[in-house]
């Protein structure tokens, strides 16, 4: 009896070639390949025309290649898109153990249990960097723990209307970009990040903060909440003045009660303008010291001293905020007030 082995060509597994659902990634990867080997037995009889072929499949061998996708996450040094080695979907659950690499400057960043560190100094073993007092205070475990346990609630005395009302106001400004990707900049313990994620209004929410402890608190809140949609939220540690996103890649940026804490609002808003897509929306809340405060002598001088000492800033008028946005390439400025509280919105020109 003769035995003939026939190997059929390698074929791709159906369903692996479709467009990925995750809007955060534009993967460029080779799908798994499967080799189907069939052993054909030829049995010949004494009659020449009577030839019987018996086929029996050999065991299937699967060859998998590493999934290497390109995302809108970018190197904080050279802003070139990162290459990510990991699962297709990027979320809070897929970050532990993941790694991101820049093909240009060879920067490598890694995910830990709670978040992805995309600061410039990430990966450094000896070097560490501190920020002004207004930023450093939120890196402490105590303030991070207290932020949603009394600290944020006290903002009501400054005119902040509270989570539900602020969310509704922001949602109105964000209507043109619903369904896209939103970055919640200086997210703290993720009060608004989690609200955005649970609302289902955005395909991906990036909770971004410089404080490791704030991000750990955010992760704990997510883990404790039953049924939380973990598949569409990502926790990222980054510097607001060096956003780790490719240019023109983000649909919206929200910054709640954060503008006055940034060491340089102009650098931060310029970065936000850079990463927003044309038509992208920037929404932020802060406070304004106008009205009776505007008659105080040497107020601007006092503000300059406050910036130098604490690294925080007090805004003196709505016009000042509009001028800031315009100088950084954002237009269509609008705002709403409630006492000292102000919510602003500006758009990147199409």
């Amino acid at each position: 009896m003769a035995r003939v082995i026939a190997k059929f060509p390698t074929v791709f597994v159906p369903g692996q070639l479709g467009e990925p659902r995750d809007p955060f990634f534009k993967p460029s990867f080779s799908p798994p390949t499967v080799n189907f080997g069939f052993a054909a037995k030829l049995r010949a009889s004494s009659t020449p025309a009577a030839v019987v072929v018996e086929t029996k499949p050999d065991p299937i061998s699967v060859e998998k290649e590493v999934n290497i996708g390109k995302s809108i996450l970018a190197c904080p040094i050279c802003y070139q898109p990162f290459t990510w080695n990991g699962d297709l979907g990027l979320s809070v659950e897929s970050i532990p153990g993941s790694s991101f690499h820049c093909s240009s400057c060879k920067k490598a960043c890694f995910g830990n249990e709670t978040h992805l560190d995309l600061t410039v100094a990430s990966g450094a073993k000896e070097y560490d960097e501190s920020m002004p007092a207004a930023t450093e205070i939120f890196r402490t475990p105590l303030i991070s723990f207290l932020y949603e346990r009394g600290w944020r609630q006290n903002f009501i005395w400054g005119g902040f209307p509270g989570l539900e009302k602020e969310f509704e106001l922001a949602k109105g400004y964000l209507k043109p970009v619903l369904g896209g990707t939103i970055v919640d900049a200086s997210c703290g313990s993720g009060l608004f990040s989690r609200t955005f994620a649970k609302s289902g209004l955005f395909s991906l929410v990036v909770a971004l903060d410089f404080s490791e402890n704030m991000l750990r608190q955010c992760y704990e809140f997510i883990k404790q909440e039953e049924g939380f949609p973990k598949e569409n939220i990502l926790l990222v540690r980054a510097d607001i003045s060096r956003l780790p996103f490719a240019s023109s890649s983000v649909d919206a940026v929200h910054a709640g009660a954060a503008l006055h804490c940034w060491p340089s609002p102009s650098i931060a808003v310029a970065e936000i303008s850079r990463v927003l897509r044309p038509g992208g929306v920037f929404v932020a809340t802060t406070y304004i010291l106008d009205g009776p405060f505007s008659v105080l002598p040497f107020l601007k001088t006092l503000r300059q001293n406050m910036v130098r000492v604490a690294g925080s800033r007090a805004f003196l008028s709505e016009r000042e905020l509009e001028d800031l946005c315009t100088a950084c390439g954002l237009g269509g400025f609008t705002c709403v007030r409630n006492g000292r509280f102000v919510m602003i919105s500006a758009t990147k020109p199409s």
Side-chain angles (χ1 to χ4, degrees):
M1 180 183 293
R3 190 172 187 269
V4 180
I5 304 297
K7 285 285 186 176
F8 286 78
T10 297
V11 297
F12 292 116
V13 178
Q16 296 296 325
L17 303 179
E19 184 71 20
R21 295 180 181 176
D22 192 336
F24 208 62
F25 282 87
K26 298 176 181 178
S28 55
F29 64 93
S30 300
T33 59
V34 179
N35 288 332
F36 291 95
F38 289 91
K41 292 183 179 179
L42 224 62
R43 190 177 63 211
S45 69
S46 58
T47 306
V51 178
V52 180
V53 179
E54 296 178 357
T55 61
K56 182 179 180 181
D58 283 343
I60 296 174
S61 61
V62 179
E63 299 173 359
K64 291 185 178 180
E65 295 185 12
V66 177
N67 170 24
I68 302 179
K70 288 188 176 180
S71 74
I72 64 171
L73 288 178
C75 174
I77 297 174
C78 64
Y79 293 138
Q80 292 300 308
F82 269 130
T83 298
W84 176 50
N85 293 351
D87 296 329
L88 182 60
L90 183 65
S91 68
V92 69
E93 293 182 303
S94 64
I95 284 302
S98 62
S99 61
F100 292 75
H101 301 271
C102 175
S103 59
S104 178
C105 70
K106 310 306 178 185
K107 173 75 173 175
C109 296
F110 302 92
N112 57 36
E113 182 184 356
T114 59
H115 62 273
L116 176 63
D117 192 342
L118 296 182
T119 56
V120 171
S122 66
K125 294 180 173 59
E126 300 295 333
Y127 178 79
D128 191 19
E129 200 165 55
S130 61
M131 288 287 190
T135 301
E136 285 297 310
I137 189 173
F138 293 106
R139 295 182 71 186
T140 63
L142 178 61
I143 299 302
S144 300
F145 178 82
L146 293 175
Y147 190 76
E148 287 188 41
R149 298 175 175 90
W151 182 289
R152 184 55 163 81
Q153 288 79 353
N154 284 322
F155 288 14
I156 191 172
W157 301 108
F160 282 72
L163 172 63
E164 292 183 4
K165 181 62 175 177
E166 291 174 51
F167 175 72
E168 289 301 317
L169 288 171
K171 189 167 64 173
Y173 286 127
L174 294 167
K175 187 176 292 186
V177 291
L178 294 181
T181 298
I182 186 170
V183 175
D184 189 21
S186 297
C187 67
S189 54
L191 184 63
F192 281 93
S193 305
R194 303 194 312 274
T195 303
F196 284 130
K198 289 186 291 186
S199 73
L201 296 174
F202 296 92
S203 56
L204 183 70
V205 178
V206 182
L208 182 145
D209 204 279
F210 190 75
S211 169
E212 309 93 320
N213 284 306
M214 283 290 190
L215 292 171
R216 291 186 187 110
Q217 283 293 316
C218 182
Y219 179 80
E220 288 300 318
F221 283 127
I222 290 173
K223 191 169 66 172
Q224 292 167 11
E225 187 168 344
E226 186 176 352
F228 188 92
K230 298 177 183 178
E231 67 279 359
N232 69 335
I233 188 169
L234 174 68
L235 277 57
V236 173
R237 180 174 182 247
D239 187 346
I240 191 64
S241 65
R242 201 77 183 174
L243 292 175
F245 305 108
S247 298
S248 302
S249 63
V250 173
D251 297 293
V253 176
H254 171 265
L259 267 172
H260 49 274
C261 295
W262 295 342
S264 174
S266 61
I267 292 177
V269 176
E271 270 292 272
I272 290 168
S273 179
R274 178 185 68 80
V275 304
L276 281 175
R277 301 181 192 275
V281 179
F282 171 49
V283 177
T285 58
T286 185
Y287 65 92
I288 295 178
L289 291 181
D290 57 3
F293 293 97
S294 60
V295 300
L296 293 176
F298 311 114
L299 185 58
K300 288 188 177 181
T301 302
L302 289 172
R303 181 177 67 172
Q304 291 172 354
N305 292 332
M306 183 173 66
V307 170
R308 281 195 291 267
V309 174
S312 61
R313 182 185 185 90
F315 294 97
L316 305 181
S317 68
E318 297 169 16
R319 293 189 303 275
E320 185 180 15
L321 289 165
E322 181 178 8
D323 197 32
L324 169 65
C325 291
T326 302
C328 295
L330 300 177
F333 178 90
T334 58
C335 69
V336 60
R337 293 287 302 272
N338 182 44
R340 304 274 75 78
F341 166 87
V342 61
M343 176 176 284
I344 68 169
S345 174
T347 304
K348 186 171 181 177
S350 299

